[in-house]
Amino acid sequence: MATAPTTAAPGRTGMALFALCLAVFIVPYGLSSAPVALPAMGDDLHAGVVPLQWVVNAYNVTAASFMMAAGSIADRIGRKRVFAFGIGLYGVSALIGALAPGIVVLDVARGIAGVAAAAMMTAGVSVTANMFQGAARTKAFAYVGVTIGAGLALGPTTSGLLVSGLGWRSVFWVQFAIAVLSMLGMGLIEESKDPDAKAVDWPGTLTFTPALFFFTLAVIEGPQWGWGNAAVWGLLAACGALLAAFVMVERRRTHPMFDLSLFREPRFMAVNLLATAVSFGFVGLMVLLPSYLVGANGLTGSGAGLAMLLLTAPVLAFPLVAGRLVQAGLSLRAVLTGGLLLAAAGLTWLGVPGAGIHPGIGVPALAGPLLLIGTGVGLIYGLMDGAAVSTVPPAKVGMATGMFNTIRLAGEAVAVAAMVAALVSLVQPRIAAGLGRIPGAEGLDAGAVTASVTSGSVDAAGPGSASGPALALADFLADSYTEGFRVVLWGAALVCGVAGVVLYLMLGGRGGARVGADERAPEAGMGQVRDPGTGVGQRRGPETGVRDVAPEMGEPEPDTAPPAEQPATRTPVDATR
């Protein structure tokens, strides 16, 4: 059993929660602030689209790969200790990024930041769950959810302003400053560990981590090397072999990193499908759209960052709306499915010729589709983490959280890699076919031009003069970029739309249709209600107060004695919790 939480004064716990949220803020901010700065990084460091995308991918891949190991280590040696280590390591990675002399060093720094993010997220969630109980825990996790939304929402805009005003390195200096400030609040956070925690699953970690890395590298490099290249197939074969070894290792271990039996739970799989779809519909777009707005649309970094606020601001506001909708009686199934379908509609709209993206599109034309996508994703983010926890028995909540975050971050890495690869694969043939028809462009290398264009440097792809042929080339490249990007947007819309239908069907079974309504357990003297913000069930008894359990799964944790047998009651859900 985990270390029991201690009781602290309300003021101290409030400050401790603020310190936790400040540190957690770095993780989504580190993801969403980088894409807007990619064009400026590429120009300064003379980097192409593939090394630039590793600024994003290195962060996601390492974070996903070390998530489960970080959680196991935190349970063994202390959650606060691992949380503080993650913050310190993130600060070091940000400092290296700010001083990086080249793209390789920057990519390595971002990989280190991903390891730090894994430690911060897993230990941070465990620390929060340990420090707060009952309704206070629900409120604490709500603040954590809003913090994650704020990091995603503010990253592109602040990054754009920083890049335009102080240069791209200032983005990492800001992250370094936040890490330093977060360390100052560590004295307010309580230490806890699980005395029954088992050893870290190193065989699982050492097979899963390189498998994910090899797969992502193959997807990213495929368009550059050629999909028939032996190196690409070698990477995919190595990935398959390592994944097979991983499954064999996990099945034979008494205490595996991944409990593969959870993948037989349809609702848990449904929530993971949801996270994967959001990776394509939101995270991938968040990476690709700023480069398009700078390259094909001629916006500055600050202009692109402000335009991205249309996409990210609803993610800050609508998680609270989602909680209210469920609190009012709307099913979790309906809200999550509706969010995916809204995102699919917005992505489709964004790709429609004339109505969606085109060179010179203004912010008013972007507002409709971007707000629609952001609204759908905001509704999902308000419920997704709580839904993941609520689909498993209480004894497996910690593992399920780690697995869910691992799959979510791995999905983000793969989604970004796949969308970038698809964009390059679609744009390069168009450019190769058209260069010979433009005077002065016959000798340009199509691959190099495509790399420059898709990294947001359309003007730098050809001759630097303002002559007629140069302008014609710039227009041609912007149009080619747009045509390829439209297909990628429609592909993302298809992923979200299909996932929405499948999600609706998968959540149609027992316990999937209504969350937050007046659902009760049949035990005498106890009514089961669910927290409208997280979907996590709570059993309420007249003498025992409230205890957290997973809905309709297992028995409550034995932290208090059961009440005396009484006739079953139907206690209304407290809508103010």
Side-chain angles (χ1 to χ4, degrees):
M1 181 176 293
T3 304
T6 57
T7 304
R12 178 181 172 85
T13 56
M15 290 301 296
L17 180 60
F18 176 79
L20 278 165
C21 289
L22 183 63
V24 168
F25 176 83
I26 306 175
V27 177
Y29 183 81
L31 170 66
S32 66
S33 60
V36 175
L38 291 181
M41 293 175 189
D43 290 341
D44 185 37
L45 301 177
H46 307 291
V49 62
V50 172
L52 276 178
Q53 291 306 327
W54 274 104
V55 173
V56 176
N57 287 320
Y59 184 81
N60 281 336
V61 169
T62 53
S65 302
F66 286 94
M67 188 72 68
M68 293 296 292
S72 298
I73 294 170
D75 285 342
R76 284 176 61 81
I77 71 172
R79 291 144 184 166
K80 174 183 174 180
R81 182 178 299 178
V82 171
F83 189 56
F85 169 79
I87 297 171
L89 185 62
Y90 199 103
V92 171
S93 71
L95 183 61
I96 295 173
L99 301 173
I103 190 64
V104 174
V105 174
L106 182 57
D107 287 343
V108 171
R110 291 288 288 170
I112 295 172
V115 176
M120 292 163 65
M121 283 301 295
T122 53
V125 168
S126 297
V127 166
T128 304
N130 184 76
M131 287 185 63
F132 301 93
Q133 296 297 307
R137 179 188 290 179
T138 299
K139 185 177 293 186
F141 273 109
Y143 281 120
V144 171
V146 171
T147 299
I148 293 172
L152 290 171
L154 297 177
T157 303
T158 58
S159 177
L161 295 172
L162 288 168
V163 169
S164 294
L166 300 173
W168 65 266
R169 296 179 187 275
S170 62
V171 174
F172 296 102
W173 283 118
V174 167
Q175 294 179 32
F176 175 73
I178 296 174
V180 171
L181 289 175
S182 300
M183 288 298 293
L184 298 178
M186 286 301 100
L188 300 170
I189 295 175
E190 301 165 2
E191 181 60 283
S192 65
K193 62 177 68 174
D194 184 355
D196 299 323
K198 304 303 185 291
V200 177
D201 181 8
W202 290 116
T205 301
L206 295 176
T207 49
F208 178 77
T209 302
L212 180 59
F213 177 81
F214 288 152
F215 179 76
T216 308
L217 181 61
V219 172
I220 291 175
E221 296 291 357
Q224 306 296 319
W225 297 349
W227 290 111
N229 188 286
V232 173
W233 285 100
L235 288 170
L236 293 175
C239 170
L242 285 167
L243 283 179
F246 171 74
V247 172
M248 292 176 61
V249 165
E250 296 304 282
R251 283 180 173 175
R252 294 179 179 180
R253 290 185 67 85
T254 307
H255 302 286
M257 179 174 74
F258 270 49
D259 183 352
L260 299 176
S261 66
L262 287 179
F263 291 119
R264 293 196 293 268
E265 167 53 52
R267 290 182 295 159
F268 182 71
M269 290 300 295
V271 178
N272 283 287
L273 171 67
L274 174 70
T276 302
V278 169
S279 297
F280 281 90
F282 179 70
V283 178
L285 179 64
M286 195 165 56
V287 171
L288 294 180
L289 187 57
S291 293
Y292 178 84
L293 294 177
V294 172
N297 215 42
L299 294 183
T300 62
S302 60
L306 290 172
M308 291 297 291
L309 197 60
L310 295 168
L311 176 68
T312 57
V315 177
L316 178 60
F318 276 85
L320 299 177
V321 175
R324 292 295 183 185
L325 290 174
V326 173
Q327 200 172 35
L330 193 62
S331 71
L332 179 75
R333 179 190 189 190
V335 176
L336 294 179
T337 302
L340 274 182
L341 295 181
L342 284 176
L347 288 161
T348 302
W349 182 357
L350 196 60
V352 173
I357 58 166
H358 59 268
I361 186 174
V363 172
L366 287 168
L370 292 187
L371 287 172
L372 196 60
I373 297 167
T375 299
V377 173
L379 292 172
I380 292 169
Y381 274 1
L383 300 171
M384 185 165 63
D385 289 274
V389 172
S390 71
T391 58
V392 300
K396 295 185 178 181
V397 164
M399 178 178 288
T401 301
M403 291 174 67
F404 172 69
N405 281 306
T406 297
I407 293 169
R408 174 163 61 181
L409 288 169
E412 290 175 359
V414 171
V416 170
M419 291 175 72
V420 169
L423 180 63
V424 172
S425 297
L426 290 165
V427 172
Q428 184 164 327
R430 288 176 167 83
I431 290 178
L435 285 178
R437 299 194 297 266
I438 299 175
E442 299 89 345
L444 295 176
D445 178 76
V449 171
T450 302
S452 180
V453 168
T454 52
S455 62
S457 302
V458 169
D459 293 337
S465 67
S467 62
L471 293 176
L473 176 61
D475 290 341
F476 163 71
L477 295 178
D479 289 338
S480 299
Y481 192 179
T482 301
E483 290 171 9
F485 196 17
R486 281 182 181 140
V487 177
V488 172
L489 290 172
W490 289 332
L494 182 63
V495 170
C496 289
V498 171
V501 174
V502 175
L503 180 77
Y504 187 81
L505 296 175
M506 292 180 73
L507 291 179
R510 181 172 175 260
R514 288 184 64 81
V515 173
D518 188 17
E519 298 180 17
R520 303 293 182 269
E523 288 92 333
M526 298 191 71
Q528 175 170 305
V529 297
R530 294 194 194 171
D531 185 279
T534 65
V536 176
Q538 295 176 322
R539 298 196 188 278
R540 184 188 303 275
E543 299 164 9
T544 61
V546 176
R547 289 178 288 162
D548 292 344
V549 297
E552 302 173 352
M553 294 277 219
E555 292 300 319
E557 295 183 22
D559 53 352
T560 57
E565 222 175 279
Q566 299 174 13
T569 59
R570 294 184 61 83
T571 308
V573 175
D574 183 357
T576 63
R577 282 188 297 108

